[in-house]
Amino acid sequence: MTTSARSYLLPLRLLPLAAAAALALSGCASAEPVAGGDDTEIEQAALQADLVTVTDPWVKAADADDGMTAAFGILSNGGDQDAVLVAARADGVSELIELHEVVSGDDGNTLMREKDGGFTVPAGSEHELSPGADHIMFMGLDQDLEPGAEVTVTLEFDDGSTHEFTAPVKDFEGANESYHGDH
């Protein structure tokens, strides 16, 4: 066997190993494919939770005996597609958390109710959660929420992705709307 023939044998013996390594590495890539149709190319879609940030978050201080409180802040969407917040949770803080809106009742007083379909955070824009308006409602508090404590909240978007943020608990005298619902 000539020297040049031997130099080809080593790479040929490593070919199956290289192919196996390439296959294993390609399995490590994660993607959220979105089909654009039967004959279109699969595209990479951004997860909604990766598009949204929460700024100036806070939770209204409340005693467990009060039974309810709310979280507020600004949801900012830096992406080029809308993000739809459909649920929230805060383990160990409340047995039930809903997304609420505040509306005028038939008697002219404001009342809060669950927001059907959640909150849409438009692409390149913001959605404010504030007292007397849209907010994340904690019902059936498991513990007192004292000023200075912190609450970790997990947001869930309609694509199934989640975003976690931590909010300080603050004293606030407002946001005492009536509740409208079955809870």
Side-chain angles (χ1 to χ4, degrees):
M1 196 180 298
T2 66
T3 305
S4 62
R6 274 189 235 152
S7 65
Y8 288 109
L9 289 178
L10 182 60
L12 289 176
R13 282 187 276 168
L14 295 177
L15 187 59
L17 181 60
L23 182 60
L25 289 175
S26 69
C28 293
S30 64
E32 289 290 322
V34 176
D38 294 338
D39 297 317
T40 58
E41 187 175 317
I42 294 177
E43 298 175 7
Q44 181 76 19
L47 296 176
Q48 292 179 36
D50 294 338
L51 304 175
V52 175
T53 57
V54 181
T55 54
D56 300 324
W58 63 283
V59 174
K60 179 183 174 185
D63 294 329
D65 293 340
D66 295 338
M68 293 189 288
T69 193
F72 310 101
I74 299 171
L75 306 174
S76 301
N77 182 345
D80 60 0
Q81 65 186 35
D82 291 351
V84 181
L85 176 62
V86 295
R89 66 181 181 274
D91 298 333
V93 175
S94 180
E95 60 189 57
L96 178 62
I97 298 178
E98 294 179 347
L99 306 179
H100 279 196
E101 64 181 344
V102 175
V103 297
S104 292
D106 294 336
D107 61 0
N109 290 320
T110 59
L111 55 99
M112 60 182 142
R113 65 180 179 199
E114 189 169 9
K115 173 73 171 157
D116 289 333
F119 304 136
T120 298
V121 185
S125 190
E126 298 177 339
H127 185 87
E128 185 173 6
L129 305 177
S130 62
D134 292 346
H135 57 277
I136 299 170
M137 190 75 198
F138 297 80
M139 297 176 288
L141 293 175
D142 296 332
Q143 61 180 312
D144 293 344
L145 296 177
E146 300 289 334
E150 291 186 333
V151 174
T152 299
V153 179
T154 302
L155 304 177
E156 182 178 335
F157 295 87
D158 71 350
D159 66 355
S161 63
T162 60
H163 177 84
E164 185 176 282
F165 69 93
T166 301
V169 176
K170 297 181 180 183
D171 274 326
F172 184 74
E173 292 302 318
N176 296 315
E177 298 86 6
S178 300
Y179 178 72
H180 175 73
D182 299 328
H183 304 288

